[in-house]
């Protein structure tokens, strides 16, 4: 992309991020976004194709931020039982709990759809971060546990202890081999 296209692309995403802080992401239309970003709809569609294309890219960006945060460094070996190390799961959970954008998506009216997108992206990124040493299913089930409990945690007004979230995600990651 040339510089002008890159600026427009960034402007659209930045505008969307501002809008979702005020309104449920599932209720934002392309028309509303284009008006707020002061662009034509054809410009939006040239960049993202459709709203779900924008949502997917925003979620992918957030998952990349979370996975690149300090503490989720590459892990060369599994723990003594061949599982994903608990400290990696703990860092990922804490990084998600500190990410305002992901929390907006998980509280949305379409949280089940967004949850699946986030989980798929997280699984891909975790496989890269963990050097693909672990079975894909093990990583996937860790993320199933993580996002099920994150959704419950958010809907319970954050009453569940964070340690419980970590325990559940860890238990899901080892459940694939029981």
């Amino acid at each position: 992309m040339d510089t002008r296209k890159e600026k427009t692309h960034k402007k659209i995403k930045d505008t969307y991020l501002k809008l979702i802080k005020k309104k449920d992401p599932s209720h934002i239309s392309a028309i509303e976004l284009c008006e707020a970003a002061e662009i034509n709809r054809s410009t939006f569609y040239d960049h993202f194709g459709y709203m779900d294309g924008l949502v997917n890219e925003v979620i992918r960006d957030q998952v990349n931020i979370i996975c690149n945060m300090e503490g989720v460094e590459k892990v060369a070996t599994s723990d003594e039982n061949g599982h994903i190390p608990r400290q990696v799961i703990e860092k990922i959970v804490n990084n998600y709990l500190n990410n305002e954008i992901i929390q907006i998506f998980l509280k949305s009216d379409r949280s089940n759809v967004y949850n699946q997108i986030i989980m798929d992206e997280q699984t891909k990124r975790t496989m890269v971060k963990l050097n693909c040493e672990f079975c894909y299913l093990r990583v996937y089930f860790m993320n199933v546990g993580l996002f099920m409990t994150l959704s419950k945690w958010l809907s319970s007004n954050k009453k569940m202890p964070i340690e419980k979230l970590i325990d559940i995600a860890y238990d899901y990651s080892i459940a694939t081999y029981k």
Side-chain angles (χ1 to χ4, degrees), residues 64-93:
N64 284 334
I65 289 167
I66 287 166
C67 287
N68 289 326
M69 290 177 121
E70 189 177 327
V72 188
E73 57 277 328
K74 290 187 178 182
V75 177
T77 60
S78 55
D79 68 13
E80 65 277 1
N81 299 313
H83 303 137
I84 299 167
R86 193 174 192 289
Q87 68 268 22
V88 171
I89 295 172
E90 187 174 335
K91 285 292 185 186
I92 291 170
V93 167

Side-chain angles (χ1 to χ4, degrees), residues 7-72:
K7 285 180 183 177
T8 302
H9 199 84
K10 183 178 179 339
K11 180 180 180 180
I12 295 168
K13 287 195 325 190
D14 289 346
T15 302
Y16 181 72
L17 289 171
K18 287 177 188 170
L19 288 174
I20 68 171
K21 290 179 181 178
K22 299 174 187 170
K23 185 176 181 179
D24 188 302
S26 63
H27 298 291
I28 297 171
S29 68
I31 294 169
E32 180 181 3
L33 176 63
C34 292
E35 287 173 3
E38 299 176 342
I39 59 166
N40 292 321
R41 276 188 286 166
S42 60
T43 301
F44 169 77
Y45 291 118
D46 285 344
H47 282 267
F48 296 100
Y50 50 96
M51 283 301 289
D52 285 346
L54 171 62
V55 169
N56 287 344
E57 188 168 320
V58 167
I59 288 174
R60 188 171 40 253
D61 291 349
Q62 295 303 309
V63 171
N64 284 334
I65 289 167
I66 287 166
C67 287
N68 289 326
M69 290 177 121
E70 189 177 327
V72 188

Side-chain angles (χ1 to χ4, degrees), residues 12 31 50 75 80 105 128 131 138 159 178:
I12 295 168
I31 294 169
Y50 50 96
V75 177
E80 65 277 1
F105 283 112
V128 169
N131 291 326
R138 187 173 283 186
K159 292 178 185 168
K178 285 187 176 181

Side-chain angles (χ1 to χ4, degrees), residues 84-141:
I84 299 167
R86 193 174 192 289
Q87 68 268 22
V88 171
I89 295 172
E90 187 174 335
K91 285 292 185 186
I92 291 170
V93 167
N94 284 316
N95 290 347
Y96 271 98
L97 296 179
N98 292 318
N99 187 294
E100 176 188 16
I101 303 302
I102 292 293
Q103 288 190 30
I104 288 169
F105 283 112
L106 292 176
K107 290 186 221 177
S108 165
D109 289 347
R110 288 184 65 203
S111 62
N112 57 332
V113 173
Y114 299 141
N115 195 336
Q116 187 62 49
I117 297 167
I118 296 166
M119 195 167 60
D120 290 344
E121 282 301 320
Q122 175 63 36
T123 300
K124 289 177 204 168
R125 293 292 300 151
T126 306
M127 292 299 289
V128 169
K129 281 291 182 184
L130 299 178
N131 291 326
C132 298
E133 179 185 321
F134 302 100
C135 168
Y136 179 84
L137 277 178
R138 187 173 283 186
V139 173
Y140 182 79
F141 278 106

